[in-house]
């Protein structure tokens, strides 16, 4: 059917169909019943076409958290809920999941990817994609491929061997394409072996489409398509965002000039029309929003299931957790992030939830009044934040003569209009935007104000002009440069409860030449700083007089976000000192790590319990209370190896040298590399404790006709409460092979549940790829015969049972 339709379209229309018409959509063609196809990020929620808090979205836990559940069916439920969100917001295409790998713990978007292991990544990604597409919304698997770090991400040439590509970086894409049939894949910014990914004919046309049978649309990462002819011939279908792209008129021109065959354009248009038909944007009535399950309840469930209890030492003879609320429990809850939780990572993964339950609210709601004492102790960051609490703001749009064109209420100080201006405002007439209103401080003292954006600003607080001038772009990453960096503009002494006027005027830059037609800037604010020593002392005093101290430590937006990598794994500010001081006065000190990726925990053996809380999504506090008080078990297992110190990690380099980043470690990343280096991390891949104990009783291998095998593992809950166990199967290579191949790899896993004393069997199909290597010379896979060892256990470092697997 779509063949006929393509024949009815003229070249200009076809070329236009392959280019973004604005930040988030492809143009419609009413004559053929094609409506605009709308895309949105992904992956924790569906932001929609507005990048501001006035269009709230459900915020699920971040991808490392989802992967820590080791539960593809939970990922599928997440996908379904997000499909319903997408429909509600008129979104057809969700730009998610991110299935790049945790190659280095310094990777800035580590929080947004699932794991260091391609098999676990593929399992979670497959569940997520199936769920999104169950709801009739396209999933776009990103970023294809080897976008595993952020430094120089637009240009870096990642040098990766064919074997490392096949066995690691391509593997999740391949499995997801074959098993979940995603309707989209996003081509990354970077180059792989000298060819930029939006032009990579070999990987896009030969491998993705040819070998794996991908029949969906390849969309560029935002601003990643650079060259009309090379992108078209290289297999890129859609260039985003618009309106200025290398497709559209430039593509029609290239066809007329004879440098791009029209058949290439026709094929891409066919794929776009297929996408439109799949998501309900072609003909007929647009589909209704599917009924999803309750997203808020799911956000809480996933968070609780994702928390990884890595340490739970006994205090007075019993494990520190769960806390027993029955005994008139008094908890000292400490840390800036306990009150202002970091629920998601920064950059394009950001959404704006309608509500956030921080740990403080979650614990207070779960315990009797007065049971929880809160103290900041140490603030994770000294960063300016988007003006929020206490501000009542609106944005006023004016033309060059100062006439008001339109107004909009602002839930916070962020203006981010990406091709979508307030009602009645035309981009051509718009000259200035003023964010104006009042600020009523929560605390007395010197309040800090700042600006973010690129262009001319005037900031006035309580009648004082704090800034009047130009703010430049100072970021190497073009996308980040467009958004601008935060700049301090001055402090104003204010009284708690006394409202003052605030105004930030921004003169809108000329649209010409800008990569994105958008208006974006922020009014920033920070509460008065308190004396750091005083804060610490207050927290220590609270901890000393409580039955348990719960310290929430966190990274900040300046530490973990998009567009840059980390340079250290240390927690920012004086948080380490806070934990050490608290642990010295309270033996039941429980530390909750609110970070999307590994951080150094130098005090980890001196505290009673350590709980990895990731970026837990909007229902953070409720889920945390459930786990701390034993309403549910912490269900997570580490999806990535947690180093004690950055210096111990075998693969860390993310900075290119002369534009190149060599993946010198070959196929040895994550636990593969730790094992090769014979190094011991703080916490091993797969590790995580529940609230019960398990014994591993038997392991049997059923061999199929091929190398495919199934492991049957009998485990018994030997503890006193019901529990859930993630049974992991590692496959060790035949003796002598360890130099050339990772000594062992995750070959499968399954979750089981059992009551106290009960035994259950986990049935785990082993990944046939675990018996193979990619042979670069033959450009194919080879099965390696020999006697392998299947090992069943609780983590890669805690393997309980073994059984031989003969591979002929
Ligand atoms: C990110 C993508 C995202 C896109 C649109 C890019 O900077 O790399 O993951 O989907 O922006 O927001």
């Amino acid at each position: 059917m779509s063949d006929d339709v393509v024949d009815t379209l003229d070249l200009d229309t076809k070329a236009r169909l392959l280019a973004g018409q604005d930040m988030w959509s492809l143009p419609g063609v009413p004559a053929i019943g094609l409506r605009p196809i709308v895309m949105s990020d992904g992956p924790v929620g569906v932001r929609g076409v507005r990048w501001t808090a006035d269009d709230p979205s459900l915020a699920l836990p971040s991808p490392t958290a989802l992967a820590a559940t080791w539960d593809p069916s939970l990922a599928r439920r997440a996908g379904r809920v997000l499909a319903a969100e997408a429909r509600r917001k008129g979104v057809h295409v969700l730009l998610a999941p991110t299935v790049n790998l945790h190659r280095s713990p310094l990777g800035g978007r580590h929080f947004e990817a699932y794991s260091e292991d391609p098999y676990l990544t593929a399992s979670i990604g497959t569940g997520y994609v199936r769920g999104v597409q169950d709801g009739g919304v396209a999933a776009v698997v990103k970023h294809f491929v080897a976008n595993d770090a952020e430094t120089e991400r637009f240009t870096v040439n990642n040098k990766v061997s064919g074997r490392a590509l096949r066995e690691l970086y391509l593997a999740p894409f391949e499995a997801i394409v074959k098993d979940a049939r995603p309707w989209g894949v996003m081509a990354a910014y970077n180059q792989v072996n000298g060819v930029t990914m939006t032009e990579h004919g070999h990987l896009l046309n030969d491998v993705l489409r040819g070998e794996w049978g991908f029949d969906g649309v390849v969309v560029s990462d935002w601003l990643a398509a650079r060259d009309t002819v090379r992108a078209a011939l290289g297999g890129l279908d859609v260039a985003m965002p618009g309106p200025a792209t290398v497709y559209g008129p430039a593509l029609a021109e290239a066809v007329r000039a004879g440098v791009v065959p029209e058949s290439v354009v026709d094929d891409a248009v066919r794929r776009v029309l297929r996408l439109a038909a799949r998501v309900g944007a072609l003909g007929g009535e647009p589909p209704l929003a599917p009924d999803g399950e309750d997203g808020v309840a799911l956000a809480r469930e996933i968070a609780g299931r994702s928390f990884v209890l890595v340490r739970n030492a006994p205090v007075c003879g019993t494990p520190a957790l769960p806390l027993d609320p029955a005994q008139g429990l008094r908890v000292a809850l400490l840390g800036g992030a306990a009150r202002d939780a970091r629920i998601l990572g920064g950059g394009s993964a950001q959404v704006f939830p309608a509500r956030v339950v921080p740990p403080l609210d979650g614990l207070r709601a779960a315990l009797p009044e007065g049971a929880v004492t809160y103290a900041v102790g140490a603030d994770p960051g000294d960063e300016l934040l988007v003006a929020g609490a206490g501000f009542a703001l609106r944005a006023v749009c004016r033309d060059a003569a100062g006439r008001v064109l339109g107004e909009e209420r602002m839930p916070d100080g962020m203006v981010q209009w990406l091709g979508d201006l307030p009602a009645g405002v035309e981009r051509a007439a718009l000259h200035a935007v003023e964010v104006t209103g009042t600020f009523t401080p929560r605390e007395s003292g010197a309040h800090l104000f700042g600006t973010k954006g690129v262009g001319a600003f005037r900031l006035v607080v309580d009648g004082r002009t704090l800034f009047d001038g130009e703010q430049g772009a100072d970021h190497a990453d073009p996308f980040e440069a467009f958004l601008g960096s935060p700049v301090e503009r001055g402090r104003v002494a204010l009284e708690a409860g006394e409202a003052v006027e605030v105004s930030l005027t921004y003169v809108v830059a000329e649209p010409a030449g800008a990569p994105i037609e958008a208006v974006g800037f922020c009014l920033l604010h920070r509460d008065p700083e308190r004396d750091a020593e005083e804060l610490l002392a207050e927290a220590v005093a609270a901890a000393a007089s409580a039955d348990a101290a719960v310290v929430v430590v966190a990274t900040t937006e300046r530490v973990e976000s998009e567009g840059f990598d980390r340079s250290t794994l240390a927690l920012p500010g004086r948080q380490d000192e806070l934990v050490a001081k608290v642990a010295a006065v309270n033996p039941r000190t429980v530390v909750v790590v609110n970070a999307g990726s590994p951080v150094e925990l130098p005090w980890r053996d001196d505290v009673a319990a350590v709980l990895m809380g990731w970026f837990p999504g909007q229902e953070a506090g409720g889920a945390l209370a459930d786990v701390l008080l034993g309403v549910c078990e912490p269900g997570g297992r580490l999806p990535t190896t947690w180093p004690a110190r950055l210096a111990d990690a075998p693969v860390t380099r993310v900075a290119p040298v002369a534009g190149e980043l060599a993946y010198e470690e070959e196929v040895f990343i994550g636990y593969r590399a730790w094992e090769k280096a014979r190094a011991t991390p703080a916490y091993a891949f797969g590790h995580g404790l529940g609230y019960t104990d398990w014994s591993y009783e038997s392991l049997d291998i059923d061999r199929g006709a091929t190398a495919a095998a199934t492991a049957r593992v009998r485990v018994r809950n030997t503890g006193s409460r019901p529990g859930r166990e993630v049974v992991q199967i590692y496959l060790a290579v035949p003796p002598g092979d360890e130099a050339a191949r990772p000594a062992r790899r995750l070959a499968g896993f399954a979750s089981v549940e059992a009551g106290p004393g009960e035994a259950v069997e986990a049935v785990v199909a082993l990944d046939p790829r675990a018996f193979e290597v990619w042979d670069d010379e033959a450009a194919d896979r080879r099965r390696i015969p020999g006697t392998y060892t299947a090992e069943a256990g609780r983590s890669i470092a805690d393997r309980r049972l073994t059984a031989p697997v003969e591979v002929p």
Side-chain angles (χ1 to χ4, degrees):
M1 176 270 189
S2 53
D3 274 359
D4 301 335
V5 176
V6 173
D7 292 343
T8 66
L9 299 174
D10 61 46
L11 176 61
D12 295 306
T13 306
K14 290 188 287 192
R16 200 162 56 83
L17 259 181
L18 304 178
Q21 62 175 353
D22 54 29
M23 185 69 178
W24 302 115
S25 69
L26 292 176
V29 181
I32 60 166
L34 176 68
R35 291 179 286 281
I37 298 177
V38 180
M39 313 185 196
S40 172
D41 294 309
V44 301
V46 184
R47 192 174 51 242
V49 297
R50 298 188 64 84
W51 199 316
T52 56
D54 61 354
D55 183 16
S57 312
L58 179 72
L60 296 177
S62 287
T64 27
L66 190 61
T69 69
W70 290 57
D71 188 345
S73 62
L74 201 52
R76 187 167 190 163
R77 285 168 58 203
R80 287 191 178 156
V81 156
L82 296 181
E85 273 282 280
R87 286 293 183 209
R88 180 177 71 76
K89 292 192 154 209
V91 168
H92 305 96
V93 175
L94 186 60
L95 304 169
T98 302
V99 302
N100 300 113
L101 296 183
H102 295 164
R103 175 175 170 269
S104 159
L106 295 176
R109 289 174 92 174
H110 198 286
F111 69 88
E112 202 187 311
Y114 293 129
S115 171
E116 66 189 22
D117 181 75
Y119 181 80
L120 179 58
T121 299
S123 305
I124 300 297
T126 298
Y128 182 98
V129 168
R130 284 193 177 134
V132 171
Q133 297 192 167
D134 284 346
V137 170
V140 173
V141 188
K142 67 190 187 184
H143 311 81
F144 191 72
V145 61
N147 183 182
D148 310 294
E150 294 294 280
T151 309
E152 297 177 27
R153 65 175 172 158
F154 276 74
T155 53
V156 60
N157 179 19
N158 291 325
K159 307 274 277 184
V160 198
S161 73
R163 182 173 171 209
L165 274 175
R166 294 291 185 151
E167 293 186 18
L168 297 176
Y169 303 101
L170 288 171
F173 289 96
E174 178 181 4
I176 294 168
V177 164
K178 289 181 173 170
D179 296 342
R181 319 283 324 163
W183 300 338
V185 161
M186 183 185 286
Y189 289 125
N190 52 279
Q191 305 176 35
V192 169
N193 299 328
V195 183
T196 205
M197 277 311 303
T198 46
E199 304 168 5
H200 213 302
H202 172 58
L203 289 174
L204 294 176
N205 285 328
D206 305 344
V207 175
L208 176 66
R209 294 196 176 100
E211 276 183 41
W212 304 345
F214 175 67
D215 70 355
V217 166
V218 176
V219 52
S220 73
D221 199 343
W222 266 229
L223 307 176
R226 286 99 180 185
D227 183 274
T228 306
V229 177
R230 289 201 306 264
L233 300 181
L236 181 77
D237 294 319
V238 164
M240 290 299 290
T245 80
V246 299
Y247 280 3
L251 182 56
E253 193 49 45
V255 172
R256 289 196 177 99
V259 283
V260 171
E262 190 159 358
S263 61
V264 167
V265 173
D266 288 350
D267 285 347
V269 169
R270 261 180 215 115
R271 291 190 280 263
V272 168
L273 294 179
R274 184 184 297 140
L275 173 68
R278 284 171 161 167
V279 299
L282 187 62
E285 288 295 307
L288 296 172
D291 281 338
E293 66 176 300
D294 177 1
V296 170
L298 184 65
R300 182 166 177 164
E301 182 182 341
I302 295 175
R305 288 277 305 279
S306 77
F307 294 159
V308 183
L309 183 60
V310 292
R311 175 180 169 84
N312 195 15
V315 181
C316 306
T318 52
L321 289 179
L323 302 173
D324 182 359
Q327 313 294 328
L329 178 76
R330 289 163 309 140
V331 178
L333 181 63
L334 311 168
R339 186 182 59 184
D340 299 310
R342 182 110 199 271
I343 63 142
L344 45 72
S348 62
Q350 187 182 25
V351 299
F352 303 89
R355 72 166 202 171
V356 169
V357 184
L360 180 57
D361 294 3
L363 264 187
R364 283 215 162 125
L367 289 170
E369 196 162 343
V372 179
T373 312
Y374 174 72
V376 175
D379 224 325
D382 51 4
E383 297 160 32
L384 282 159
L385 302 173
V386 172
F391 287 84
L393 301 170
R394 63 189 202 284
V396 182
C397 299
R398 294 195 176 85
D399 67 11
R403 275 187 299 262
V404 174
L405 301 170
E407 279 200 23
E408 188 161 284
R409 197 192 63 82
M410 304 281 296
D412 62 20
M414 178 194 281
V415 171
Q416 206 140 260
W417 299 324
L418 305 166
D420 183 21
L421 298 171
V425 180
E426 288 296 325
R427 181 71 173 81
L430 180 64
H431 174 70
V433 180
E434 182 189 9
V435 169
T436 178
T438 58
F439 171 52
T440 312
R442 291 185 291 187
E443 294 167 32
S444 299
H447 286 254
L448 181 62
F449 292 84
T451 53
K452 181 170 185 251
V454 178
F457 290 96
R458 180 160 194 267
L459 174 63
V460 183
V461 177
D462 196 19
R464 279 183 51 196
T465 302
L466 298 182
F467 180 67
D468 194 352
E470 289 277 335
Q471 179 164 335
D474 62 348
H475 207 291
D477 183 300
F479 214 78
E480 298 303 308
F482 158 76
L483 298 173
S485 300
V487 184
E488 294 185 6
R489 298 300 180 193
R491 288 186 165 76
V492 182
L494 300 174
E495 290 298 319
E498 285 183 21
V500 293
E501 301 283 329
V502 288
S503 156
L504 175 63
T505 304
Y506 168 65
V507 177
V508 178
E510 289 303 316
I516 302 167
E517 193 176 274
V519 179
F521 66 97
C522 298
L523 169 64
L524 305 174
H525 167 257
R526 186 171 159 75
D527 278 328
E529 272 157 53
R530 288 186 47 204
D531 178 71
E533 295 297 334
E534 215 176 87
L535 287 180
L536 282 168
E538 192 179 282
V540 170
S545 58
D547 303 311
V550 176
V551 192
V552 182
V553 295
T555 58
T556 70
E557 174 126 22
R558 214 181 279 175
V559 175
E560 278 185 90
S561 189
E562 183 175 324
F564 55 88
D565 292 310
R566 290 195 287 171
S567 55
T568 162
L569 301 187
L571 283 168
R574 294 176 72 172
Q575 299 182 93
D576 286 334
E577 204 180 331
L578 170 67
V579 176
K581 289 200 151 106
V582 167
V585 298
N586 192 317
R588 199 182 289 272
T589 293
V590 176
V591 180
V592 179
V593 181
N594 180 190
S597 38
V599 284
E600 290 171 357
L601 312 172
W603 31 258
R604 68 187 185 283
D605 294 331
D606 306 326
V607 298
V610 179
L611 185 69
M612 304 310 181
W614 313 114
F615 290 149
Q618 67 175 58
E619 300 303 313
L624 184 65
D626 290 344
V627 164
L628 293 179
L629 302 174
V631 176
C632 63
E633 275 193 308
R637 305 291 186 267
L638 288 178
T640 210
T641 307
W642 201 284
R645 296 176 317 155
L646 175 62
D648 302 340
V651 181
T652 54
R653 201 160 68 78
V654 284
V657 175
E660 282 186 1
L661 181 63
Y663 283 33
E664 281 159 347
E665 68 288 343
E666 271 288 322
V667 292
F668 296 93
I669 65 165
Y671 61 77
R672 292 159 166 84
W674 285 88
E675 292 213 314
K676 187 172 190 220
R678 297 186 189 286
T680 308
Y683 305 112
F685 177 81
H687 174 61
L689 307 166
Y691 288 152
T692 187
D693 292 320
W694 297 87
S695 71
Y696 277 59
E697 295 187 342
S698 64
L699 165 63
D700 295 294
I701 304 292
D702 300 335
R703 282 292 314 284
T706 66
T710 303
R712 283 184 293 109
V713 190
R714 198 179 150 83
V715 295
R716 186 178 299 277
N717 179 347
T718 55
S720 56
R721 45 178 286 163
R724 182 172 181 278
E725 173 72 339
V726 180
V727 176
Q728 303 163 35
I729 306 288
Y730 295 91
L731 196 77
V733 294
D737 270 13
E738 296 89 346
R741 302 169 70 186
R744 59 178 47 75
R745 47 172 290 183
L746 180 70
F749 60 90
S751 303
V752 289
E753 288 178 13
E758 222 183 295
V760 278
E761 189 178 72
V763 180
V764 185
L766 303 192
D767 178 12
R769 287 281 160 85
F771 304 99
E772 298 173 349
V773 296
W774 178 266
D775 182 336
D776 271 342
E777 261 170 46
D780 207 353
R781 273 169 221 291
R782 236 172 352 107
R783 195 161 86 210
I784 308 292
T787 307
Y788 290 74
T789 308
E791 305 167 319
R794 313 200 64 196
S795 78
I796 196 159
D798 185 2
R799 307 183 305 272
R800 303 283 179 92
L801 300 168
T802 64
V805 185
E806 294 295 339
V807 174

